[in-house]
Amino acid sequence: MSQALPVTWVRVTDVERITPATARIGFTADELPGLLEDRPDQQLKLCLPRAGQTVPRLPEPEPEPDADDPYGMRWYEAFLAIPEAERPWMRSFTVRSYDRRRNVMTVDFVLHGDGGPASRWGAAARAGDVLGMVGPSSLYARPLPAARRMLLAGDETALPAIATVLEALPAGTAAVVFAEVAEAEEERELPSAAGGSEVRWVHRDRGGSLVAAVREAGPELDGVDAAWVAGESSAVRALRRHLVEERRLPRAAVEFSGYWRRALTQDDAPTEEDLAWAAERAADAP
């Protein structure tokens, strides 16, 4: 049976600057205990207010599951029906953690300093602020590939998900992490995998790039038999090709997700490359 994708309000409980350019923001809502699951990489969308709004205008939630809407997407039709001047900015995030005792979910905001709506809102967030939330939903859950030693690779946007994957790996799985950040000050402590883990930080201000670091890696990747890769779309595609075509990992052993697109936002229409990406990802789905 199909499920309606949940749409709800969330309220800020606390804000912590965990690095100079990353704000960790706590949210609560009465609905959270029924929405959040004990699994890694739970993705959701946050709806941010437009200029002049104190809270965003949300699409009406779907009243009932619809057999003709297996992925619960009718909310998006309602979202697009909101006049553009009033339609909230919508951005995707990953749940970093959920404290069931406090009923508080934390989400990390990367503060790019570019004046984008999510960066601007995150830099000014205060306790009591209210946003809209769409998801998360188990409809979009993808199991981690089985592995003895797993490569996790991503940029700042992927670090919350990488942390949850590290926490979720079974006892027999070790991990090696390649993480790209702007500079050394943006490094943060990551959990250790149950089977042990190594972390290599890649700094853009020193000319480093995630793709080059993984391509040029030597013994660090010995024994890697699966990978989880996320971040900027073109970098993720390049890494997936490298891992499948050059390092000979099975396609099904490489889980990948493009979280953002260089020079484009989620407000922009998908490109032909984006559509090809989505089709390829769907073809690899279990």
Side-chain angles (χ1 to χ4, degrees):
M1 178 180 291
S2 68
Q3 302 176 32
L5 201 62
V7 179
T8 190
W9 299 102
V10 290
R11 176 176 52 83
V12 174
T13 58
D14 50 271
V15 180
E16 177 187 5
R17 189 66 66 88
I18 61 171
T19 74
T22 307
R24 179 162 292 168
I25 301 179
F27 294 93
T28 192
D30 291 343
E31 295 86 351
L32 289 185
L35 295 177
L36 299 179
E37 302 173 277
D38 185 20
R39 62 177 174 87
D41 194 17
Q42 294 187 79
Q43 298 180 30
L44 54 84
K45 297 182 184 297
L46 290 176
C47 297
L48 307 149
R50 289 269 185 169
Q53 297 176 333
T54 55
V55 296
R57 178 176 171 182
L58 293 187
E60 291 296 322
E62 299 176 61
E64 298 290 341
D66 185 340
D68 295 327
D69 181 28
Y71 288 98
M73 291 297 292
R74 291 204 188 280
W75 70 271
Y76 191 63
E77 296 176 8
F79 172 81
L80 293 178
I82 299 172
E84 186 175 359
E86 302 174 27
R87 189 185 306 150
W89 302 109
M90 187 165 61
R91 295 294 184 267
S92 297
F93 294 87
T94 303
V95 177
R96 170 58 192 94
S97 66
Y98 176 55
D99 184 334
R100 288 195 177 273
R101 182 182 60 82
R102 296 176 58 224
N103 190 31
V104 172
M105 166 188 74
T106 58
V107 176
D108 290 353
F109 280 65
V110 179
L111 310 179
H112 301 285
D114 58 4
S119 179
R120 185 169 58 247
W121 185 90
R126 299 290 183 271
D129 290 349
V130 173
L131 294 183
M133 182 176 79
V134 180
S137 173
S138 58
L139 288 169
Y140 299 96
R142 292 170 67 99
L144 295 174
R148 297 182 302 276
R149 192 162 189 257
M150 182 178 291
L151 167 67
L152 306 176
D155 58 23
E156 296 97 329
T157 64
L159 289 178
I162 286 174
T164 64
V165 171
L166 287 169
E167 291 168 340
L169 289 177
T173 300
V176 55
V177 179
F178 279 67
E180 179 190 302
V181 292
E183 56 189 0
E185 288 75 12
E186 291 305 308
E187 295 181 13
R188 67 191 72 170
E189 185 174 354
L190 293 173
S192 292
S197 55
E198 306 165 25
V199 180
R200 178 176 171 185
W201 293 97
V202 181
H203 304 125
R204 287 192 298 276
D205 68 335
R206 299 177 187 172
S209 80
L210 185 67
V211 174
V214 174
R215 280 177 172 163
E216 296 165 7
E220 304 108 301
L221 297 188
D222 288 351
V224 163
D225 52 355
W228 184 100
V229 184
E232 196 279 319
S233 291
S234 64
V236 172
R237 283 193 290 270
L239 282 176
R240 181 171 180 269
R241 285 194 297 269
H242 167 71
L243 293 169
V244 172
E245 297 174 8
E246 299 177 38
R247 295 196 181 260
R248 302 300 182 185
L249 291 183
R251 289 167 62 94
V254 182
E255 173 64 21
F256 63 102
S257 185
Y259 283 172
W260 60 283
R261 301 175 292 169
R262 199 173 305 280
L264 295 171
T265 74
Q266 291 183 7
D267 306 307
D268 297 304
T271 65
E272 290 186 9
E273 192 175 29
D274 293 327
L275 296 174
W277 163 274
E280 186 175 5
R281 184 171 163 83
D284 285 350

